[in-house]
């Protein structure tokens, strides 16, 4: 959360001369409401099912840069779908996450004790991220352009 997936994804897409897609945006458009509202109205399990479908649809039909929501890798089918694809795990520490997301942002999983909850989520998710990632790129202390450079280097990509 707040690592810069969408911002860096757009920079990468522009550099590569391709399109950008964000599955969180797809979910909001499909559901007709914000993710925080989905969590409140239908609960996290319903959101995760929407997320799983959004990732499946995007991977099958989108051939540009794709940003996935931070919890997408919780689903084993999604992890299997990502196997062998050029996945990058963008990482940062909790202090940077707090600076970027703030403590009052509408992020349902960080509603109570955000610092502790962020740490718990990362402890749970980090092994899953690294399982599917071809490379890990830190975003701390870097601009989106610098992160995009690091991603392109990690994937050995050339600008369009």
């Amino acid at each position: 959360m707040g690592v810069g997936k969408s911002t860096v994804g757009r920079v990468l897409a522009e550099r590569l001369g391709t399109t950008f897609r964000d599955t969180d945006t797809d979910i909001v458009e499909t559901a007709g409401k914000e993710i925080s509202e989905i969590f409140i109205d239908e609960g996290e399990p319903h959101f995760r099912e929407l997320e799983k479908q959004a990732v499946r649809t995007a991977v099958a039909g989108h051939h540009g840069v794709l940003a996935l929501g931070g919890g997408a890798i919780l689903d084993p089918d999604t992890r299997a779908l990502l196997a062998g694809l050029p996945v990058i795990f963008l990482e940062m520490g909790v202090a940077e996450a707090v600076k970027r997301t703030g403590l009052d942002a509408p992020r349902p999983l960080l509603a109570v004790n955000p610092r502790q909850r962020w740490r718990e989520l990362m402890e749970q998710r980090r092994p899953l991220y690294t399982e599917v990632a071809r490379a890990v790129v830190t975003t701390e202390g870097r601009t989106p352009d610098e992160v995009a450079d690091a991603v392109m280097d990690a994937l050995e990509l050339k600008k369009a």
Side-chain angles (χ1 to χ4, degrees):
M1 288 177 261
V3 76
K5 297 178 299 285
S6 297
T7 302
V8 171
R10 285 185 189 93
V11 171
L12 280 170
E14 183 178 321
R15 288 184 182 186
L16 296 169
T18 190
T19 56
F20 171 75
R21 185 169 178 173
D22 185 326
T23 58
D24 281 350
T25 301
D26 293 347
I27 294 166
V28 168
E29 288 175 3
T30 299
K33 59 174 104 175
E34 295 299 317
I35 290 171
S36 57
E37 293 176 54
I38 298 169
F39 266 76
I40 292 167
D41 296 345
E42 285 91 22
E44 184 175 358
H46 177 73
F47 170 76
R48 295 295 173 207
E49 190 54 41
L50 293 174
E51 182 175 56
K52 179 179 177 176
Q53 182 58 48
V55 172
R56 188 179 315 125
T57 299
V59 169
H62 179 74
H63 302 290
V65 176
L66 179 62
L68 305 184
I73 48 78
L74 295 172
D75 181 73
D77 293 335
T78 297
R79 290 194 307 276
L81 184 66
L82 297 174
L85 296 177
V87 175
I88 296 290
F89 165 34
L90 299 179
E91 73 169 351
M92 67 181 167
V94 67
E96 184 74 10
V98 168
K99 279 195 280 187
R100 291 184 186 193
T101 63
L103 300 180
D104 57 352
R107 296 179 186 269
L109 292 178
L110 298 181
V112 177
N113 196 345
R115 285 182 178 90
Q116 178 182 341
R117 185 65 181 133
W118 189 90
R119 283 188 187 102
E120 290 168 357
L121 289 171
M122 285 310 302
E123 286 174 16
Q124 174 192 28
R125 295 175 180 183
R126 184 176 305 279
L128 303 176
Y129 292 146
T130 57
E131 174 188 324
V132 300
R134 191 172 292 175
V136 178
V137 172
T138 186
T139 65
E140 288 200 42
R142 290 177 161 171
T143 67
D145 283 323
E146 292 168 335
V147 175
D149 287 342
V151 169
M152 290 184 72
D153 289 345
L155 294 177
E156 300 177 353
L157 298 171
K158 307 279 189 258
K159 290 184 182 179

